[in-house]
Amino acid sequence: MPLSPSAAEDQKLTVFYDGSCPLCRAECNVYRQTQGAEALRFVDVSDNSSALPVGLGRSEAMARFHVATPDGQVVSGAKAFVEVWARLGRWRHLARVARIPLVLPLMEWGYGVFLKFRPVLVRLFVWFMGSRP
């Protein structure tokens, strides 16, 4: 028996992303266009009217990638990316690779480095995308 619309919605992974960041928007747009995206619900945390889970502040949500699993667990960083990838057709292999011992800690370290350089990378992204025909 198929799930009711509200029950199906409750089974989705909620992706919290910074919609004011062009790089974050572009990444979520890629996810939205991928097979399996119907298993995701996207919440733009830069919109002050967006509801956030208890314990997740807006500035924290904008500073780091977070997801909420259907059972209500909030996960951030590399683990959050793996949760998304596990639900997307062509990305599932990356989720499997991330489960190899030591891969997830390395991904988390890399994500931490990325976050330090994110403002510069966003400016480069905006410049590059603006200079394309």
Side-chain angles (χ1 to χ4, degrees), residues 78-79 82 85 93-110:
K79 287 182 182 179
V82 173
W85 299 342
H93 64 281
L94 288 176
R96 285 193 292 274
V97 169
R99 290 182 174 88
I100 295 171
L102 299 178
V103 171
L104 192 59
L106 285 172
M107 287 174 56
E108 187 61 43
W109 175 83

Side-chain angles (χ1 to χ4, degrees), residues 2-107:
L3 295 172
S4 69
S6 62
E9 197 66 21
D10 290 342
Q11 295 302 310
K12 291 185 177 189
L13 181 77
T14 303
V15 177
F16 299 99
Y17 72 101
D18 179 1
S20 67
C21 169
L23 198 55
C24 302
R25 275 194 323 268
E27 177 184 10
C28 285
N29 285 338
V30 169
Y31 294 154
R32 280 184 177 108
Q33 296 171 14
T34 302
Q35 178 190 18
E38 62 279 355
L40 306 176
R41 173 188 314 120
F42 293 90
V43 175
D44 177 357
V45 298
S46 69
D47 178 351
N48 289 330
S49 67
S50 296
L52 298 177
V54 174
L56 180 60
R58 194 158 312 280
S59 61
E60 180 186 5
M62 289 180 70
R64 186 173 169 84
F65 188 65
H66 292 77
V67 299
T69 61
D71 65 2
Q73 180 184 7
V74 177
V75 186
S76 72
K79 287 182 182 179
F81 286 103
V82 173
E83 288 287 339
V84 171
W85 299 342
R87 288 160 173 82
L88 298 176
R90 65 182 181 188
W91 294 77
R92 285 191 180 111
H93 64 281
L94 288 176
R96 285 193 292 274
V97 169
R99 290 182 174 88
I100 295 171
L102 299 178
V103 171
L104 192 59
L106 285 172
M107 287 174 56

